Amino acid sequence: MRKKMIAGNWKMNNTPAEGAKLVQDIKAAADAATCDVVVCTPFVCLPSALEAAKGSHVQVAAQNMHYEDKGAFTGEISSVMLKDMGVTHVVLGHSERREYFAESDQTVNLKTKKALMENIVPIVCVGESLEQRETGIAFDWIRMQVKLALLGIAKEDVKRVVIAYEPIWAIGTGKTATDEQANEVCGVIRSALKELYDAETADEMRILYGGSMNAKNAQGLLAQSDIDGGLIGGASLKAEDFSTIIGFAG
Ligand code: PGA
């Protein structure tokens, strides 16, 4: 049985004080649940979120990191810095980073390897555009993204990687993939993992769905056979909605 994960991607929202309050407000739901509960906060919110999460089941993630330990990379944050603070997870390759900040399959791969080296759980995002879906190349595209992200990662390590399937057309648009559409692609990802590694490894790895998941549609999505949780943007900013989603994951 794969342990479900509910991860809130705050994106560029919340001040440190607002972030601490949000963590306080979701603690009860997180502590009552058996799934992993993660908040992916802006870098400046990490200290207050970590402080607020102390003694609870809430885990704290960054939304990006660099693949080098240190050096002349103005504006960047390294995995060593994150680990030192107590950050346990990191979102890598989010479509917004790929689109606006030139994140490539190659840097996603370097960062994924680095996160694993530092014992930080990488949540690696993949997903197709509307055009790719409409022209029928979504599955090939996603299989390629998964394979490139995991290039050179050994079977013993890859099990710690979490993959998030986020169709770009569903992110922040209010358009969710149907339960069946989302599950179908998560199944495609799992079969790519099986080809790359083996059935047992693919079976153990967690695959999340993301893209306009909310308190109304989460129950159906989370009940699908290949969906092991959610990466939630907008609805993760409201403690009540996020807590409801955590409740559905159990
Ligand atoms: P959304 O964002 O839930 O607001 O669509 C999801 C994400 O981008 O991770």
Side-chain angles (χ1 to χ4, degrees):
M1 267 300 276
R2 296 181 292 265
K3 190 179 190 182
K4 284 204 163 40
M5 175 184 283
I6 298 297
N9 177 12
W10 295 359
K11 309 193 179 186
M12 196 172 72
N13 293 290
N14 288 325
T15 62
E18 287 165 348
K21 165 116 182 29
L22 184 47
V23 171
Q24 289 293 353
D25 293 346
I26 62 166
K27 262 185 182 178
D31 287 350
T34 54
C35 66
D36 281 338
V37 176
V38 183
V39 289
C40 314
T41 87
F43 289 125
V44 295
C45 294
L46 292 172
S48 66
L50 283 160
E51 184 59 34
K54 260 191 196 147
S56 79
H57 282 162
V58 179
Q59 301 176 88
V60 179
Q63 298 173 9
N64 181 34
M65 60 169 227
H66 200 275
Y67 50 83
E68 295 287 355
D69 286 344
K70 60 179 178 179
F73 301 103
T74 302
E76 289 292 312
I77 302 282
S78 77
S79 57
V80 176
M81 298 170 189
L82 295 176
K83 192 178 168 188
D84 184 70
M85 297 179 77
V87 170
T88 50
H89 297 64
V90 63
V91 178
L92 297 175
H94 190 280
S95 62
E96 287 150 17
R97 295 224 53 94
R98 292 180 191 257
E99 183 178 353
Y100 307 130
F101 304 100
E103 188 80 76
S104 69
D105 289 316
Q106 194 200 2
T107 55
V108 171
N109 176 244
L110 289 169
K111 291 175 181 190
T112 304
K113 287 190 208 161
K114 184 66 184 166
L116 290 171
M117 264 170 66
E118 295 295 340
N119 240 332
I120 295 174
V121 176
I123 302 172
V124 177
C125 304
V126 297
E128 83 284 7
S129 66
L130 187 58
E131 193 186 4
Q132 287 166 331
R133 177 159 281 264
E134 285 173 346
T135 49
I137 61 165
F139 294 177
D140 288 339
W141 176 259
I142 287 158
R143 289 163 55 84
M144 187 197 69
Q145 280 187 319
V146 169
K147 289 184 178 184
L148 291 174
L150 301 180
L151 213 62
I153 296 175
K155 191 169 86 172
E156 309 77 68
D157 297 321
V158 80
K159 292 179 187 174
R160 289 183 281 134
V161 176
V162 176
I163 308 273
Y165 166 55
E166 298 207 307
I168 296 168
W169 48 272
I171 295 178
T173 56
K175 259 193 229 168
T176 325
T178 63
D179 297 349
E180 293 73 25
Q181 276 174 331
N183 196 49
E184 183 180 33
V185 180
C186 291
V188 167
I189 293 171
R190 205 173 299 285
S191 59
L193 295 172
K194 187 175 162 187
E195 279 166 37
L196 281 177
Y197 299 94
D198 54 35
E200 191 205 330
T201 307
D203 233 35
E204 274 183 46
M205 287 181 67
R206 292 185 287 181
I207 305 173
L208 315 182
Y209 168 78
S212 298
M213 192 189 269
N214 58 40
K216 290 204 178 75
N217 59 29
Q219 191 168 22
L221 288 160
L222 293 171
Q224 299 304 307
S225 57
D226 276 309
I227 301 180
D228 306 313
L231 181 58
I232 297 127
S236 75
L237 299 173
K238 295 176 215 130
E240 204 183 322
D241 290 6
F242 195 60
S243 299
T244 303
I245 299 170
I246 293 169
F248 289 139

